[in-house]
Amino acid sequence: MWKNEDACIKCSICISACPVYAQDMNFAGPKALGPDWFRSYEQDNFIDPISYVEDCTFCQLCERSCPAEVPIAHLIAFHKTKQEKSFRRRVRDFILARPHWIAPFPWLANIPAPIAKVLDFGTKSRWPRANNKLSNFKTTSRKVSLGATTKPTIGIFIDCYSRGFDQEVIFSAQQLLSIWGFETYLLPSSSHCCGAAAYAAGKDKQGRQIASSTYKAISKDIRKLGAIITLNATCDSTLTQEWHNYWNLDLKIPVISFAQFSLDNAPESFWDIVSAPVAEPDIFWIHTTCRSNVSKGDVNLTALMKKAGLGSVRLLSLDCCGAAGSYAFKQEHEDVAHQLGERVLEQINPLAGNLVLDSGTCGLHLSQITGLEAKHPAYWIYQRYNNLVEKG
């Protein structure tokens, strides 16, 4: 199933890279929870799970740092499958592993505090609220297509968070691709999940089932698409890594992040428009989420925002903000989640500007901590373009 699973050389570099270990000294660390535990499991055919294995965020920063390329985070995810949980936490994790059930009914996220506490949901982290009215946009009839209409149709993979709580991101991406001359197709047509939430929580079987269902839902549409672009870093990594490497789900067409697709395919005439001088430039603080950083690096978002001429662009030094999908919404993790996120306050001083992120939950988390508006780059770029077109 894995490659290099027994290649650990015990250098402990992964411990130095682990954001949770730096905040919680009770945490055993990725080496002990991943390759060390797995070796014992293989030898004895079973060994009791180590305490605190659930505290792993699945950020994969340990894997990025490993000189032997051990799939440390994935071994920890397997370790989590052996952990026994109380009934109420099983119920809670069953719900959190299926965000696609909540996305069509976003009001379900309005959990009363007494119920949240009974099921060990966190109450410190802000829960999302639906933002589906597109009230911040004024679509203009002066929009001009800058690309040929013969370009291939591009699929936009709709993540659960955007579908349920931030449809402005979907709208912005559609509008921009239309301006660049691309037809777009939203997929899946109904609410599905890539399987990341279940897998990171140690529910490998459920993750596979959810991912397989999503694969079936979109596979019939693949043949008419030139590529799939993703709006969420976790979905992007899951579709290109777990789907391909662990679950044998091959989409057969390129899967590309919105940032990379924009840099590669938006016409120069578009960049000429949006990069016009800004009289009073805003500050845009960029946080490249951990999954995106591990798989793509932190270059694309920064390059994209600079090319779009969006004021002063500054990259935050924050490997993991603590959101990690549903991690911050679990009672036992919320303190560490906020400790990780509050490190951003050391860098944004005074608290001013806007946040740019490629994950809705990370944006929600950091927006609560800083009080700044946090949005996907598609939102900021389309807003910039729309404002300039309105001004002529």
Side-chain angles (χ1 to χ4, degrees):
M1 177 178 178
W2 299 285
K3 293 181 180 179
N4 303 324
E5 69 271 19
D6 195 32
C8 175
I9 58 176
K10 297 186 179 294
C11 65
S12 299
I13 292 175
C14 60
I15 297 175
S16 301
C18 177
V20 176
Y21 188 83
Q23 296 295 327
D24 182 4
M25 296 305 294
N26 289 319
F27 186 58
K31 181 170 72 72
L33 296 172
D36 283 359
W37 179 87
F38 185 74
R39 278 175 174 166
S40 298
Y41 178 87
E42 289 279 274
Q43 292 171 3
D44 300 340
N45 199 30
F46 183 80
I47 186 171
D48 289 336
I50 299 174
S51 298
Y52 301 102
V53 65
E54 292 289 335
D55 290 344
C56 169
T57 68
F58 198 71
C59 67
Q60 292 186 277
L61 296 172
C62 53
E63 291 188 5
R64 184 184 66 177
S65 71
C66 180
E69 299 183 349
V70 177
I72 304 171
H74 291 83
L75 295 178
I76 296 174
F78 175 73
H79 187 170
K80 289 180 182 179
T81 66
K82 307 303 178 184
Q83 180 83 324
E84 291 293 332
K85 298 181 182 180
S86 65
F87 173 75
R88 64 183 184 179
R89 288 196 175 177
R90 290 202 304 272
V91 172
R92 179 201 64 186
D93 291 353
F94 180 88
I95 296 169
L96 290 176
R98 293 162 174 79
H100 56 297
W101 288 3
I102 300 174
F105 312 103
W107 53 267
L108 290 174
N110 302 335
I111 304 174
I115 296 177
K117 290 181 179 179
V118 168
L119 290 177
D120 280 346
F121 284 108
T123 56
K124 187 174 182 179
S125 296
R126 180 190 301 163
W127 286 77
R129 297 292 182 266
N131 181 17
N132 301 337
K133 296 182 180 179
L134 305 176
S135 57
N136 292 340
F137 289 108
K138 295 179 181 178
T139 55
T140 171
S141 60
R142 296 186 64 196
K143 181 179 73 175
V144 179
S145 177
L146 302 173
T149 57
T150 57
K151 294 181 179 180
T153 300
I154 302 299
I156 301 177
F157 186 85
I158 308 303
D159 60 278
C160 301
Y161 187 93
S162 296
R163 187 186 295 272
F165 304 104
D166 197 4
Q167 291 187 3
E168 285 178 338
V169 171
I170 305 169
F171 175 82
S172 300
Q174 280 186 294
Q175 292 297 304
L176 288 172
L177 265 71
S178 174
I179 292 165
W180 301 339
F182 293 94
E183 296 288 336
T184 58
Y185 187 88
L186 302 183
L187 71 164
S189 57
S190 58
S191 188
H192 285 72
C193 178
C194 66
Y199 186 73
K203 296 182 176 297
D204 177 63
K205 182 178 180 181
Q206 291 90 331
R208 290 168 181 266
Q209 291 171 344
I210 292 169
S212 296
S213 175
T214 304
Y215 176 80
K216 291 178 182 178
I218 67 177
S219 58
K220 63 180 182 298
D221 300 317
I222 295 297
R223 61 181 178 273
K224 60 186 178 185
L225 302 176
I228 295 174
I229 69 169
T230 56
L231 303 176
N232 182 285
T234 299
C235 293
D236 183 84
S237 294
T238 303
L239 295 180
T240 56
Q241 294 181 26
E242 279 78 29
W243 276 37
H244 182 268
N245 297 333
Y246 300 102
W247 295 340
N248 197 30
L249 301 174
D250 188 359
L251 289 171
K252 296 183 173 62
I253 62 172
V255 176
I256 311 168
S257 70
F258 172 83
Q260 185 64 63
F261 185 88
S262 303
L263 290 168
D264 292 343
N265 294 279
E268 287 302 319
S269 52
F270 174 82
W271 300 121
D272 290 341
I273 293 173
V274 296
S275 62
V278 179
E280 296 181 4
D282 290 332
I283 299 173
F284 286 87
W285 300 96
I286 294 180
H287 170 54
T288 307
T289 56
C290 47
R291 292 296 303 274
S292 181
N293 204 332
V294 169
S295 61
K296 301 289 194 304
D298 59 15
V299 176
N300 286 352
L301 280 184
T302 306
L304 178 63
M305 297 302 286
K306 286 183 176 179
K307 194 165 187 177
L310 281 161
S312 177
V313 177
R314 304 179 188 180
L315 180 64
L316 291 168
S317 178
L318 192 68
D319 286 332
C320 180
C321 71
S326 61
Y327 188 85
F329 300 123
K330 297 180 179 180
Q331 179 274 327
E332 66 272 27
H333 301 323
E334 59 183 358
D335 286 339
V336 170
H338 280 263
Q339 289 168 14
L340 290 170
E342 286 166 2
R343 292 178 301 154
V344 77
L345 299 176
E346 301 169 4
Q347 302 177 53
I348 305 179
N349 187 17
L351 287 175
N354 306 289
L355 293 169
V356 185
L357 312 96
D358 48 4
S359 167
T361 49
C362 293
L364 180 71
H365 186 60
L366 290 181
S367 179
Q368 177 184 3
I369 290 171
T370 64
L372 304 180
E373 186 174 18
K375 285 288 189 178
H376 191 277
Y379 170 92
W380 296 119
I381 295 172
Y382 179 66
Q383 188 180 61
R384 166 79 171 147
Y385 169 82
N386 213 29
N387 290 339
L388 288 170
V389 171
E390 281 187 337
K391 294 176 181 177

